[in-house]
Amino acid sequence: MMTLPLFDESTAARTVVPLGEQAFVLRGFALDDARALLDAITRVEQRSPFRHMQTPGGFTMSVALTNCGRFGWTTDRHGYQYTELDPLTGAAWPAMPEVLWRLARSAAAETGFPDFTPDACLVNRYAPGSRLTLHQDKNERAFDAPIISVSLGIPATFLFGGHKRTDPAARIPLRHGDVAVWGGVDRLRFHGVQPLDEAVHPVVGAHRFNLTLRRTG
Ligand code: MD3
Ligand code: FE
């Protein structure tokens, strides 16, 4: 079992790490909002529970998923889609929490994307062993809008590839409180998440949450 560093996260450096021309990791940018964000996730999952979705290829995703905002992303044997209703409950997805909206807009503005107006947020929940194979986020029609991601809980190694699946991928650690922004020329790069190592976060426990805010159209 991996032991997490004992340094105080609240004093960890807030630095901007450029990954590409228009892709950045803002280290610790969400730390002050972490408690409020975790509470918001709890409220979202009470209305729209996490579930392990089927892919068109017939696999069950190791990452559990839910959504908030006007539109939610789902996958099943028939394909991927954004819908206004949660197919599991038949009800609208939970509203986008205010704290998440404000955080995403300020991270976007800080990195050259003023007036980001997300209308969808995927919430991914990872357990040790969960992973995301290399893919592109191309179910949105608004490729001019960036995507903003917020990581909470145990750390993961993010794979940042190129425009072809076979391009070499950089390995970038994403930790509790990190925010990533990618848009423009980097919007369609292949990316993924390596299988998570066993770990326990002092606040979140043995999970990682990743929230990705998008503009669908
Ligand atoms: C993509 N989520 O939900 S977000 C997804 O950590 C997804 O759960 C991952 O991929 C996760 O579709 C990764 C972080 C991220 C950061 C920079 C990127 C994704 C990126 C730059 C280009 C493309
Ligand atoms: Fe993605």
Side-chain angles (χ1 to χ4, degrees):
M1 171 92 59
M2 168 185 164
T3 306
L4 288 169
L6 291 172
F7 66 78
D8 181 359
E9 280 165 344
S10 63
T11 58
R14 270 105 164 136
T15 53
V16 178
V17 181
L19 298 184
E21 253 182 89
Q22 292 178 288
F24 310 89
V25 176
L26 286 65
R27 296 275 180 224
F29 197 78
L31 280 177
D32 292 342
D33 291 322
R35 182 73 265 165
L37 291 165
L38 291 164
D39 290 346
I41 293 170
T42 301
R43 284 193 297 275
V44 166
E45 70 174 297
Q46 283 166 355
R47 292 260 311 277
S48 282
F50 284 103
R51 77 286 312 253
H52 292 273
M53 295 182 190
Q54 297 274 116
T55 65
F59 295 98
T60 300
M61 293 183 70
S62 61
V63 176
L65 249 141
T66 185
N67 291 274
C68 59
R70 175 157 178 211
F71 296 102
W73 184 91
T74 55
T75 171
D76 62 17
R77 287 308 307 258
H78 304 111
Y80 313 105
Q81 58 177 335
Y82 277 104
T83 60
E84 294 197 63
L85 302 182
D86 178 350
L88 190 68
T89 65
W93 298 102
M96 181 96 64
E98 185 69 31
V99 58
L100 189 55
W101 166 268
R102 269 193 290 101
L103 179 69
R105 282 183 58 91
S106 73
E110 195 115 335
T111 49
F113 300 99
D115 209 35
F116 176 49
T117 51
D119 61 4
C121 178
L122 264 82
V123 188
N124 294 331
R125 187 187 67 197
Y126 295 75
S130 300
R131 64 183 190 130
L132 214 49
T133 54
L134 279 182
H135 66 278
Q136 292 171 296
D137 292 1
K138 54 179 188 189
N139 293 130
E140 304 77 20
R141 275 171 296 249
F143 291 142
D144 50 323
I147 299 182
I148 313 292
S149 103
V150 182
S151 292
L152 295 167
I154 63 177
T157 300
F158 172 66
L159 299 169
F160 187 60
H163 284 90
K164 297 197 298 277
R165 190 180 294 278
T166 51
D167 286 343
R171 286 167 165 70
I172 318 283
L174 288 179
R175 304 186 193 89
H176 183 72
D178 288 346
V179 174
V181 180
W182 66 101
V185 295
D186 294 314
R187 173 65 180 72
L188 288 172
R189 283 168 75 145
F190 277 90
H191 59 281
V193 177
Q194 284 192 346
L196 261 70
D197 289 334
E198 294 276 354
V200 177
H201 186 275
V203 177
V204 184
H207 280 121
R208 168 175 188 259
F209 294 103
N210 184 266
L211 305 125
T212 48
L213 295 98
R214 301 132 190 270
R215 176 99 214 148
T216 59

